[in-house]
Amino acid sequence: MSQPKTRKPTLLLHWRGLGGWNFYFLIKFALLWFGYLNFHALTNLVFLAWLLLPLPNERLHRWRNWISVPIGLGLFWHDTWLPGPQSILSEGSQLAGFSGAYLLDLVNRFVNWQMIGAGFVMLVIYLFVSQWVRVSVLVSLMLLWINVVNMAGPSFALLPTKEATPPVALNTAAQPNKAAANANAMDQSAPPTSANLTAYLNKFYASEKQRVTTFPDTLPADSAPFDILIVNICSLSWSDAEVAQLRDHPLWKHFDIVLNNYNSATGYSGPAGIRLLRASCGQTSHSDLYKPTDRRCYLFDNLAKLGFKEQLMMDHTGVFGNYLQELRNDGDLQAPLMSQAGISASWTSFDSTPVFNDGELMQRWLDERQKSADARTATFYNLIPLHDGTRELGSTKTAAWQPRAKLLFDQLDTFLTNLDKSGRRVMVMIVPEHGAALEGDKMQMSGLRDIPSPHITHVPVGIKFAGMKAPHQAQPMTVEAPTSLLALSDLVSRVVDGQVFNAANVNMSVLTENLPQTQVVSENDNAVVMMYQGKPWIRLNGGDWVAYPQ
């Protein structure tokens, strides 16, 4: 009597494999191999299981494929370093203000034709190999292996990589202000797990809340009047100057002090302006910038109490992104905008508004100060000719960054030379907002600053004391310790009585001794980048921390 045949469960008769989804995962593996993805291993494994689950009905199988298309696209976007929906929506109103030519330029930069070509080659190879090889099995095993490897820590790479610290993230010279360094140092001995990195960030912000610059209640009777001019340049970092070969420009020789390792803490203009105007307190999170703060935090308010008249100057309208309104609402800078009447336009901005001639604006400021009866002024001067998308008058094409930067450097050089000739006592502080991101990386293309990487936030800060009786040093005093906004406020508080201009000799080393140091933490709306154990780490949209890809 024959034995009845054992039948497989009905469900197991309907395995169909991944089909074209194999190519979807192969593309991801290739991008991950070269460090172009913030790959979410478990989420992709769940998606693969959803695609493999056998369905007895052919119609259900087709429906699943159609439903999976938007899911797959969304997951692919989630696995990239591209801005999330929240960031895009928050910037959507500003995108409407971009000129059509600038938007087309951004799209052209976004498309990587080499990657498209490589993807086409991979597709042909996949179609050829899949005739003989069960690719679904290989893809499934690969994704399982990635999940196992990923359990080891908050991030991983398929290939051994070089150190993730960008070469310009921090200069390597020895730090002379060891006392301040020890006082402000935070423990970084714990392993860089997501939990430890989050705890470190929280501790950083808690510590920063306790820091504040102390200004005198009144100036002494023998104080010397002088002016403070803060030149806030949009889109200039050490990396940009290196790429454009402008680190040896004569401009740098004017400065008495250069902060070599200054971190701007953000990649966008509005937050940069607010942070600078609130420089008298420790660094806050991005969200706290738009909340009320201690009155002692406002640098210009502190100066106004000591008799410095507040002034505001810009080479643009300040309308785009409500920039001027943010300075007033969140930076408490209420001074009227200095007149731009009669100033010629040098460029056209990315939003088709004029960018006024900075050489003429600076000369107007100097001429008016020479005629004014105001003994002391504090001027906030914001300028944007280096911003991405700026173009020559009458042109629709973005002008090359290097010629724009050289022209601006020449104008600043001329202004500082004329300032010396005038004999006027002025503390000039060149403080860029953020870099231009001339060099893109694996996380974001050139010009994109959604992620405040060290290449973007490591900016050159120079301080000059024009009109001093003391001779200037042959070379600027360089501060190599990690500094940020609080160091600027502290330095202003040290010279606010103006005696630095009357002294027969000024030792810049003593003047800059023990400046407040700040750990390198930068934040935009949806991204945080910080240095930990000598390497940059990034957290997007409140997710896990991963090592910044190199």
Side-chain angles (χ1 to χ4, degrees):
M1 187 174 179
S2 61
Q3 297 290 330
K5 293 183 179 180
T6 302
R7 297 188 63 183
K8 294 183 180 179
T10 304
L11 197 63
L12 299 181
L13 296 174
H14 300 281
W15 290 106
R16 292 184 174 85
L18 292 169
W21 289 103
N22 280 311
F23 182 66
Y24 170 88
F25 286 106
L26 289 172
I27 286 290
K28 281 192 172 183
F29 294 158
L31 292 172
L32 177 61
W33 181 275
F34 292 105
Y36 286 100
L37 286 187
N38 180 27
F39 193 71
H40 298 81
L42 181 58
T43 308
N44 278 271
L45 186 62
V46 172
F47 184 53
L48 179 136
W50 153 258
L51 294 170
L52 282 176
L53 182 69
L55 297 175
N57 189 294
E58 183 69 27
R59 179 178 296 178
L60 290 177
H61 179 70
R62 288 198 298 268
W63 284 359
R64 177 175 61 186
N65 275 333
W66 282 110
I67 294 171
S68 298
V69 170
I71 297 174
L73 291 174
L75 180 56
F76 206 118
W77 189 283
H78 183 55
D79 281 336
T80 69
W81 301 107
L82 296 171
Q86 183 179 352
S87 177
I88 293 174
L89 289 174
S90 66
E91 302 294 332
S93 60
Q94 297 190 19
L95 287 175
F98 290 173
S99 68
Y102 182 45
L103 287 172
L104 185 62
D105 182 39
L106 290 176
V107 170
N108 185 54
R109 272 188 270 166
F110 182 79
V111 176
N112 189 320
W113 294 106
Q114 288 184 330
M115 282 192 175
I116 291 176
F120 174 71
V121 172
M122 283 187 61
L123 176 61
V124 173
I125 293 175
Y126 162 70
L127 293 174
F128 180 74
V129 172
S130 63
Q131 299 177 83
W132 302 284
V133 178
R134 293 185 63 99
V135 182
S136 295
V137 175
L138 297 178
V139 167
S140 301
L141 291 175
M142 176 66 75
L143 192 50
L144 283 170
W145 177 76
I146 290 174
N147 272 268
V148 171
V149 173
N150 201 40
M151 293 177 185
S155 65
F156 77 89
L158 290 176
L159 279 177
T161 59
K162 56 184 176 180
E163 290 296 317
T165 306
V168 299
L170 287 175
N171 291 323
T172 56
Q175 298 179 0
N177 300 331
K178 293 183 179 179
N182 293 334
N184 295 330
M186 292 176 60
D187 181 30
Q188 295 187 353
S189 61
T193 63
S194 276
N196 288 339
L197 290 168
T198 299
Y200 178 86
L201 179 66
N202 293 336
K203 184 178 178 182
F204 168 80
Y205 281 134
S207 173
E208 289 295 300
K209 286 182 179 179
Q210 311 304 317
R211 307 174 76 188
V212 62
T213 302
T214 302
F215 280 82
D217 295 328
T218 58
L219 291 178
D222 62 346
S223 61
F226 69 101
D227 300 307
I228 297 174
L229 175 61
I230 298 179
V231 182
N232 194 216
I233 303 175
C234 176
S235 302
L236 172 63
S237 69
W238 281 119
S239 174
D240 301 327
E242 192 78 46
V243 171
Q245 299 181 341
L246 289 173
R247 292 197 68 157
D248 294 326
H249 191 279
L251 171 65
W252 308 114
K253 297 179 182 179
H254 283 280
F255 299 123
D256 297 297
I257 301 168
V258 172
L259 304 184
N260 267 350
N261 285 315
Y262 181 92
N263 181 49
S264 68
T266 183
Y268 283 121
S269 299
I274 298 169
R275 288 188 183 280
L276 184 51
L277 293 172
R278 292 186 177 189
S280 295
C281 287
Q283 185 173 321
T284 68
S285 66
H286 177 84
S287 59
D288 282 351
L289 292 176
Y290 302 95
K291 298 176 182 178
T293 190
D294 192 317
R295 297 299 309 173
R296 297 176 298 171
C297 297
Y298 296 108
L299 174 60
F300 276 62
D301 190 46
N302 291 327
L303 292 170
K305 292 175 181 177
L306 296 175
F308 287 81
K309 180 183 177 181
E310 297 182 18
Q311 295 189 150
L312 173 62
M313 184 165 63
M314 298 193 302
D315 65 1
H316 55 103
T317 63
V319 174
F320 184 83
N322 293 319
Y323 176 78
L324 179 56
Q325 197 60 44
E326 285 192 0
L327 295 188
R328 301 206 186 287
N329 293 346
D330 302 301
D332 195 34
L333 184 60
Q334 307 303 331
L337 179 61
M338 187 177 293
S339 174
Q340 298 162 337
I343 302 295
S344 63
S346 289
W347 309 95
T348 300
S349 183
F350 55 90
D351 63 345
S352 299
T353 58
V355 179
F356 297 103
N357 188 297
D358 287 289
E360 295 178 16
L361 280 169
M362 287 184 283
Q363 188 59 46
R364 172 173 289 184
W365 178 89
L366 180 56
D367 292 342
E368 292 189 359
R369 289 305 302 129
Q370 295 288 61
K371 296 182 294 184
S372 174
D374 296 316
R376 298 174 175 85
T377 62
T379 303
F380 182 89
Y381 174 32
N382 183 257
L383 52 164
I384 65 166
L386 306 188
H387 193 287
D388 193 47
T390 300
R391 54 189 190 269
E392 295 179 0
L393 299 177
S395 173
T396 59
K397 183 179 179 182
T398 298
W401 190 90
Q402 199 275 350
R404 284 184 278 142
K406 185 179 183 306
L407 175 61
L408 178 60
F409 282 24
D410 289 344
Q411 290 171 331
L412 287 166
D413 181 31
T414 299
F415 168 71
L416 294 178
T417 299
N418 292 338
L419 191 58
D420 283 331
K421 293 177 181 178
S422 74
R424 186 159 195 89
R425 290 177 294 202
V426 184
M427 180 185 188
V428 182
M429 307 176 75
I430 307 290
V431 187
E433 297 176 349
H434 52 72
L438 289 185
E439 275 194 317
D441 56 28
K442 292 180 178 179
M443 297 195 68
Q444 53 191 358
M445 66 181 184
S446 172
L448 191 63
R449 292 172 280 106
D450 199 67
I451 297 171
S453 69
H455 281 293
I456 294 171
T457 63
H458 179 217
V459 300
V461 171
I463 296 99
K464 174 182 175 61
F465 297 99
M468 285 197 310
K469 290 183 179 180
H472 293 273
Q473 300 176 358
Q475 296 293 330
M477 167 65 198
T478 58
V479 177
E480 305 294 347
T483 55
S484 193
L485 299 127
L486 191 65
L488 299 179
S489 176
D490 194 83
L491 189 58
V492 170
S493 72
R494 296 182 184 192
V495 301
V496 76
D497 63 0
Q499 291 303 322
V500 68
F501 295 95
N502 288 335
N505 290 286
V506 177
N507 189 327
M508 294 298 168
S509 297
V510 174
L511 183 60
T512 58
E513 188 175 9
N514 295 335
L515 277 177
Q517 297 184 28
T518 303
Q519 305 302 313
V520 179
V521 176
S522 303
E523 186 175 0
N524 284 348
D525 190 20
N526 298 304
V528 183
V529 178
M530 68 180 182
M531 299 294 294
Y532 189 85
Q533 295 181 353
K535 299 179 181 179
W537 294 80
I538 177 171
R539 184 180 71 181
L540 294 177
N541 302 307
D544 287 337
W545 291 90
V546 296
Y548 196 97
Q550 180 73 351

